[in-house]
Amino acid sequence: MTSILKRDFKAYFTSPIGYIYIGSYIFVLNLVFYLNNALGNSASVSGVFGFMLLVMMFTTPILTMRVFSEEYKMKTDLLLLTTPVRTFDIVSGKFLSAQLVFVTLLALTLTWPAIISAFASNNVAEVIGNYAGMFFIGAAYIAMGIFISSLTENQVVAAVGSLGMFIGLYLLDVIHSFFYSNGAFPLWFMNALGSISVFGRYGSINSGILALDDVVFFISLTLLFLFLTARRWDRQRGFSIAITAIFIVGVVLVNIAATQLTTRFYLKADLSEQKFYTLSEQTIDVLRGIGEDVTITVLDKEAEWQNPEDLRYRLMETLNMYSSYSGGRVKVNYIDPDLNPRIKEQYPALTDVVSGDIIVESARRYTSVNAGNLFLWSYNNRNQPAPVAMDAEQKLTSALLYTLSDVTARAVFLEGHNESPTTALQALFETSNYEVETINLAHNDLPADTTVVICAAPKSDLLPLEMERLEAYMNSGGNTMIFYDMDTPKLPNLDLYIEEWGVSVSSELVLDPTYNFGYLYAIGAAVLAPEKLPSAESLDTVNKMAVMGGARPLTPLWPTGEREWRTSEPLVASWSTSYSKSFDSDNATAEKSPGDKEGPFILAMLTTDRGNVNLNPVTSRMLVSSYCLIDDTALGNSQYFINAQLLGVIANDFNPSGESVIIPVKVLAGSSMSIMSGQVRVIFFALVIAMPLIIFVAGGFVWRKRRSL
């Protein structure tokens, strides 16, 4: 085998074929890298590797067309057959020589990650995964091309036949995608068709997943065609249909077993930069602790979620992980509502369920999650939405916990005083498994099962009756959040009450020329992760700041932070570069002036009361902050700011059932390269012009030298 490998590998480079193959291939790929990465500033190699698979359909026949066809044409096949070398060694030697040429090509593309590393942070896992995937697919394509070459002595016919096979595999993927969605064929048939889709399997690798069943598929496909080639080449020594059939059946069974193992134990490596296909420890703990069956029903066509280029593919993989880590307790179904129009009637409590929703159901209760809400969106100047982050795990795990819990927390938002809107905060509480309602304390008492009361920037003071009801609730072990806006006036009743909790709200405004988000008043602040919040350890206080646009400083009234049974501590504070000032004067300016107070300032405080009711210990807590902590912009951009995480931690710790999780979002945008125009021109010259030209010149030199012999 070694001698054949050396002979054939040398033959590629003593003739123009190897140079034409590598030169044309590397020219096209380097051009795509230049356009996609150098000009596009992308630090991801997935785009150029995805294109490589398309180019491979047209370049692999050049590499394999002569492997056996030339042996037939030159009548050297009889010499090989009469040698004491085993048939499979002959086939293996020829295959390895062609594969070694392909590996040489891959080695030349190592310039891509090298360039990316020079200008950005390189995702090593993605690079290794794509190279591994391309290596296995290249081996499969080469094995198929060699098999076609073993069928004819005409190299052109071998090249066209190989190209036809590769295009046929591509069309299989197209046919599978088209007919899967319209239900023209049985589901088992379409699944079987999808299982042999080369493009579909590589699509998952290119999107960031290296799965055991995909690797086994490409290896078994390679071995299958090498086996068929050996049987074809060994036809003079006898051809056993039975042995061939047994081998094919064995390949099928191995792939079925690999698929089952991969699905059951989720044997997939996450190559993505943001770890889209890795669950947090919190979710894994929840899934492994499930003691009853849970059904997740996706109201959509499964085929719509199987395209690796679609965002829903990441959701599908997330649901697959839920099923695997739960040991099969979580079952995932896809139901097309167009084919099953009465499916929504099975969930009468879900009045607003639509196609695309995900229904999570246990024997106790059910809830729904909209697939679009599992992503965070931004809008351009044309008001067109674009996804910026993935929040699927937080919301799906919360929905799972809701269906398994017997206790429901309740968040009550006060109204009647022109409070500011709290859409994002209400959504955050709902995600944390709270039932949310709005109450006017002047007309109604608080429900007995109220978990937390939110008073969001009232423009008028609470009435004595309202204060009496609020105080009675707090004395029985309640939780309250009170937020002051920039224009919140003096509120004698409410101000006096929160002063009893050790906090005074200043009428000044905090500004910061160093830590801000474009405006002096839109300051960045540090979250202090207090000990009184057990879940605070999940906060990413190192990489994220709180955005506090229009914050009012708080003054702690107790020097030691404690008074009798109450303890107050800061939650959020500005940096030492901040300052505060009053804008009462007509001549006030935002710039720092003599007499302005210098920071840091406390911007949010939490006071804990440890008392008792009828000799039973109870704990009450009051959070006081500026409204900017909870406005929609701050909470809706959790990929940048820590506000949503902080409020989620508080909601988690206020929840009596403790059935909630705090999981950071995953940003969709990958790393980008910072590259100058001059450097881009150097890359173009080196990769697109110089490298292919050198290869072609070397090939021309070899060709000319052979003609002169």
Side-chain angles (χ1 to χ4, degrees):
M1 181 181 72
T2 304
S3 59
I4 294 175
L5 188 158
K6 292 179 179 179
R7 187 198 72 166
D8 280 43
F9 181 73
K10 183 179 179 180
Y12 280 114
F13 295 101
T14 54
S15 67
I17 291 180
Y19 300 95
I20 294 173
Y21 168 76
I22 294 178
S24 58
Y25 209 154
I26 205 69
F27 169 76
V28 174
L29 294 179
N30 281 351
L31 179 61
V32 173
F33 175 81
Y34 166 76
L35 296 173
N36 185 71
N37 296 82
L39 286 183
N41 294 328
S42 173
S44 172
V45 296
S46 61
V48 65
F49 270 103
F51 188 79
M52 185 187 291
L53 183 59
L54 288 174
V55 180
M56 189 182 293
M57 289 195 306
F58 301 95
T59 56
T60 302
I62 299 175
L63 186 64
T64 61
M65 64 183 185
R66 60 178 295 279
V67 174
F68 280 105
S69 297
E70 189 175 36
E71 300 283 1
Y72 296 149
K73 184 178 180 180
M74 303 299 294
K75 306 301 182 182
T76 55
D77 57 322
L78 297 177
L79 293 176
L80 286 175
L81 286 171
T82 56
T83 61
V85 181
R86 292 183 304 173
T87 301
F88 198 78
D89 289 340
I90 297 173
V91 174
S92 298
K94 290 181 170 294
F95 164 75
L96 290 175
S97 65
Q99 182 71 4
L100 191 56
V101 175
F102 180 68
V103 170
T104 303
L105 167 69
L106 289 181
L108 292 176
T109 65
L110 290 173
T111 52
W112 304 341
I115 292 172
I116 292 174
S117 297
F119 299 102
S121 175
N122 213 336
N123 181 10
V124 178
E126 179 195 50
V127 172
I128 294 176
N130 274 282
Y131 272 104
M134 196 54 61
F135 175 84
F136 289 124
I137 295 176
Y141 268 40
I142 289 171
M144 287 186 279
I146 289 176
F147 172 70
I148 297 298
S149 177
S150 71
L151 300 178
T152 177
E153 68 176 26
N154 191 311
Q155 295 186 30
V156 175
V157 173
V160 173
S162 298
L163 178 61
M165 175 178 285
F166 300 149
I167 293 177
L169 288 173
Y170 175 74
L171 292 177
L172 276 180
D173 187 67
V174 174
I175 293 171
H176 171 262
S177 300
F178 178 78
F179 286 104
Y180 199 113
S181 59
N182 64 17
F185 293 96
L187 184 61
W188 66 266
F189 177 77
M190 299 310 299
N191 286 334
L193 194 64
S195 67
I196 60 174
S197 170
V198 173
F199 281 82
R201 287 184 178 272
Y202 181 70
S204 65
I205 297 175
N206 194 244
S207 69
I209 301 176
L210 185 61
L212 173 67
D213 57 342
D214 291 335
V215 173
V216 170
F217 171 77
F218 290 120
I219 292 177
S220 61
L221 191 65
T222 302
L223 294 177
L224 173 63
F225 278 94
L226 291 180
F227 174 82
L228 293 176
T229 303
R231 303 304 296 173
R232 170 70 181 85
W233 179 254
D234 203 23
R235 63 192 183 280
Q236 287 91 342
R237 300 179 184 176
F239 185 84
S240 173
I241 297 178
I243 294 177
T244 303
I246 292 172
F247 189 87
I248 293 175
V249 170
V251 167
V252 172
L253 293 178
V254 167
N255 276 270
I256 292 175
T259 300
Q260 294 298 319
L261 288 172
T262 303
T263 302
R264 175 64 180 82
F265 300 104
Y266 202 77
L267 301 177
K268 302 180 181 181
D270 187 356
L271 311 175
S272 61
E273 183 178 356
Q274 295 295 331
K275 300 304 176 186
F276 292 111
Y277 312 108
T278 302
L279 296 181
S280 68
E281 289 299 325
Q282 297 179 69
T283 296
I284 292 175
D285 290 342
V286 169
L287 293 171
R288 287 176 175 169
I290 291 179
E292 57 187 272
D293 291 341
V294 176
T295 301
I296 297 180
T297 302
V298 181
L299 299 181
D300 208 347
K301 302 173 183 177
E302 186 174 1
E304 301 289 340
W305 294 54
Q306 291 183 326
N307 181 5
E309 297 180 1
D310 196 303
L311 283 176
R312 289 172 295 185
Y313 178 80
R314 294 174 179 172
L315 300 182
M316 181 187 71
E317 284 298 324
T318 300
L319 295 178
N320 291 340
M321 286 189 285
Y322 276 60
S323 179
S324 295
Y325 279 104
S326 67
R329 284 289 194 177
V330 175
K331 297 177 175 60
V332 182
N333 300 320
Y334 293 83
I335 297 180
D336 185 353
D338 294 332
L339 300 178
N340 301 272
R342 301 181 67 88
I343 183 64
K344 299 177 184 178
E345 298 177 7
Q346 299 179 18
Y347 307 98
L350 303 178
T351 57
D352 57 348
V353 64
V354 297
S355 297
D357 279 1
I358 300 172
I359 299 175
V360 184
E361 178 183 10
S362 72
R364 308 180 192 190
R365 49 184 171 176
Y366 54 82
T367 187
S368 66
V369 181
N370 182 269
N373 292 336
L374 299 180
F375 296 91
L376 302 182
W377 304 80
S378 65
Y379 293 83
N380 58 22
N381 52 10
R382 297 181 180 179
N383 204 32
Q384 296 173 325
V388 294
M390 181 174 169
D391 195 24
E393 190 181 342
Q394 169 69 55
K395 294 181 178 178
L396 289 172
T397 303
S398 294
L400 186 66
L401 287 171
Y402 172 80
T403 63
L404 296 172
S405 176
D406 292 322
V407 179
T408 301
R410 184 181 301 276
V412 175
F413 287 76
L414 300 185
E415 64 176 0
H417 301 276
N418 197 25
E419 286 84 357
S420 297
T422 53
T423 305
L425 183 60
Q426 291 187 36
L428 185 146
F429 273 108
E430 290 173 350
T431 301
S432 299
N433 293 334
Y434 279 74
E435 289 187 359
V436 175
E437 63 178 293
T438 305
I439 285 181
N440 189 323
L441 270 183
H443 302 148
N444 302 98
D445 233 329
L446 290 169
D449 60 348
T450 298
T451 304
V452 59
V453 174
I454 300 96
C455 183
K459 303 303 185 294
S460 61
D461 203 5
L462 272 65
L463 300 175
L465 175 60
E466 294 176 289
M467 293 303 307
E468 180 181 335
R469 287 173 170 170
L470 179 61
E471 187 170 5
Y473 163 72
M474 291 296 289
N475 290 339
S476 63
N479 302 294
T480 298
M481 296 181 176
I482 301 175
F483 301 98
Y484 283 74
D485 208 349
M486 293 174 59
D487 57 354
T488 300
K490 292 288 186 180
L491 307 172
N493 292 334
L494 189 59
D495 291 345
L496 181 61
Y497 184 62
I498 68 169
E499 288 178 5
E500 295 177 7
W501 288 75
V503 182
S504 176
V505 183
S506 171
S507 59
E508 297 181 339
L509 184 67
V510 180
L511 303 102
D512 194 328
T514 303
Y515 296 96
N516 64 68
F517 298 96
Y519 302 94
L520 288 175
Y521 66 87
I523 68 172
V527 173
L528 305 178
E531 297 179 357
K532 296 299 185 294
L533 294 175
S535 302
E537 60 183 19
S538 65
L539 292 174
D540 184 10
T541 57
V542 175
N543 300 309
K544 292 183 180 180
M545 292 189 294
V547 56
M548 302 289 285
R552 295 169 62 168
L554 305 181
T555 302
L557 301 180
W558 306 329
T560 62
E562 296 184 10
R563 175 166 292 184
E564 297 179 353
W565 52 86
R566 289 180 177 172
T567 304
S568 63
E569 57 182 338
L571 281 181
V572 181
S574 65
W575 301 96
S576 59
T577 52
S578 62
Y579 57 91
S580 71
K581 60 170 50 199
S582 174
F583 287 87
D584 294 339
S585 171
D586 294 336
N587 298 322
T589 174
E591 302 299 327
K592 188 175 182 180
S593 306
D596 291 342
K597 297 177 182 178
E598 296 188 358
F601 301 99
I602 298 173
L603 306 180
M605 290 189 67
L606 177 69
T607 301
T608 303
D609 180 304
R610 302 188 185 281
N612 64 80
V613 176
N614 298 325
L615 301 179
N616 294 317
V618 295
T619 300
S620 302
R621 285 162 291 194
M622 177 181 288
L623 170 69
V624 180
S625 177
S626 294
Y627 178 78
C628 51
L629 181 68
I630 63 165
D631 68 19
D632 290 354
T633 300
L635 297 184
N637 290 278
S638 58
Q639 70 272 30
Y640 307 119
F641 311 127
I642 201 173
N643 299 52
Q645 282 189 44
L646 175 61
L647 270 298
V649 163
I650 295 172
N652 184 34
D653 290 332
F654 282 4
N655 190 338
S657 68
E659 297 294 342
S660 58
V661 292
I662 308 298
I663 302 171
V665 300
K666 298 176 180 179
V667 180
L668 294 176
S671 301
S672 59
M673 293 196 298
S674 299
I675 184 169
M676 307 297 291
S677 58
Q679 295 166 328
V680 170
R681 288 194 293 270
V682 171
I683 291 174
F684 176 81
F685 177 79
L687 296 187
V688 182
I689 297 179
M691 184 182 292
L693 184 60
I694 291 173
I695 295 172
F696 285 132
V697 168
F701 177 78
V702 170
W703 175 77
R704 185 178 181 85
K705 184 177 180 180
R706 289 195 65 187
R707 282 180 59 89
S708 63
L709 293 177

